[in-house]
Amino acid sequence: IEVWRLALSKWPNHRQAPEITNQIRLAFQNQNEFEQAMSVQSELSRFGEGSDWWNSNTDNPAEQREAEELAEQALIASAIQQHQMAQRERRHCVEEIQAGNEAEAVEKCRQAQVFYGNAADAYRSYLDRYPNSPNAYELHYNLADALYWSERYEEAAVEYGSVRDSNLDDVHLSESARRVVERVAP
């Protein structure tokens, strides 16, 4: 990892920089250092179209395509991980409430709200960058859900409305229609 970091510091726009960054992520993941792996994963988005790296590698279209795929995968993985952490913390919050541990419950609920906000921001970034993704319908619903549970109700209502009115699918139609008008968490 240190050698790869040194190489990236010396040649940040090298054609293999995205792949080296991904190797760092995999190394952290293999060492069960998941927070560091997530941090490195978010770095992969800096190699996308319009970045300094991208503009420096116009003569390397294969590497650009690979970098774009890594960036896309990193964005969606980050959103999903934040959403999963939020759901876990919300579950713990409910358990603490049921156990009568108010102080612990408040902290778990606050942390869940932060994770939901992070997930919403990551979903939005992904959808802004890849609006025609085959998973756009599901991701818009996930965005709406994350906004709702982060108590950003006005934004959630807009997103739920777009899911409700979507012609792409109707799996989340009834839930989205209900949540469009809800403003208070259950």
Side-chain angles (χ1 to χ4, degrees), residues 53-172:
W53 178 89
W54 184 276
N55 296 333
S56 297
N57 284 280
T58 56
D59 295 339
N60 301 306
E63 284 81 1
Q64 284 181 321
R65 277 191 304 280
E66 183 179 326
E68 189 62 29
E69 287 174 16
L70 287 170
E72 181 177 2
Q73 292 168 4
L75 273 174
I76 194 59
S78 176
I80 290 168
Q81 287 170 339
Q82 291 291 316
H83 203 156
Q84 289 171 340
M85 291 187 319
Q87 290 170 328
R88 183 188 68 233
E89 290 301 311
R90 188 177 92 205
R91 196 170 38 255
H92 290 199
C93 169
V94 170
E95 290 167 0
E96 294 295 339
I97 290 170
Q98 290 172 345
N101 302 327
E102 281 300 313
E104 291 85 0
V106 168
E107 179 56 28
K108 295 289 183 187
C109 291
R110 186 197 63 72
Q111 189 62 44
Q113 188 176 356
V114 169
F115 284 138
Y116 276 119
N118 293 344
D121 295 340
Y123 283 126
R124 190 172 312 250
S125 293
Y126 180 88
L127 288 166
D128 287 347
R129 192 162 176 180
Y130 307 102
N132 298 320
S133 166
N135 300 318
Y137 177 82
E138 189 68 31
L139 296 175
H140 271 286
Y141 179 78
N142 290 350
L143 168 59
D145 183 65
L147 288 167
Y148 180 84
W149 289 106
S150 65
E151 298 183 9
R152 293 158 58 182
Y153 300 119
E154 295 298 321
E155 293 174 73
V158 171
E159 290 302 326
Y160 279 125
S162 71
V163 172
R164 177 199 60 203
D165 299 338
S166 176
N167 293 327
L168 298 175
D169 204 338
D170 64 358
V171 173
H172 301 293

Side-chain angles (χ1 to χ4, degrees), residues 6-36:
L6 178 63
L8 288 173
S9 71
K10 291 187 178 282
W11 301 285
N13 291 328
H14 188 274
R15 65 183 177 84
Q16 291 181 323
E19 183 55 37
I20 291 169
T21 304
N22 194 47
Q23 289 301 318
I24 294 170
R25 179 190 67 82
L26 291 172
F28 278 127
Q29 196 169 334
N30 289 338
Q31 296 174 3
N32 293 328
E33 296 180 23
F34 298 111
E35 286 188 30
Q36 290 91 336

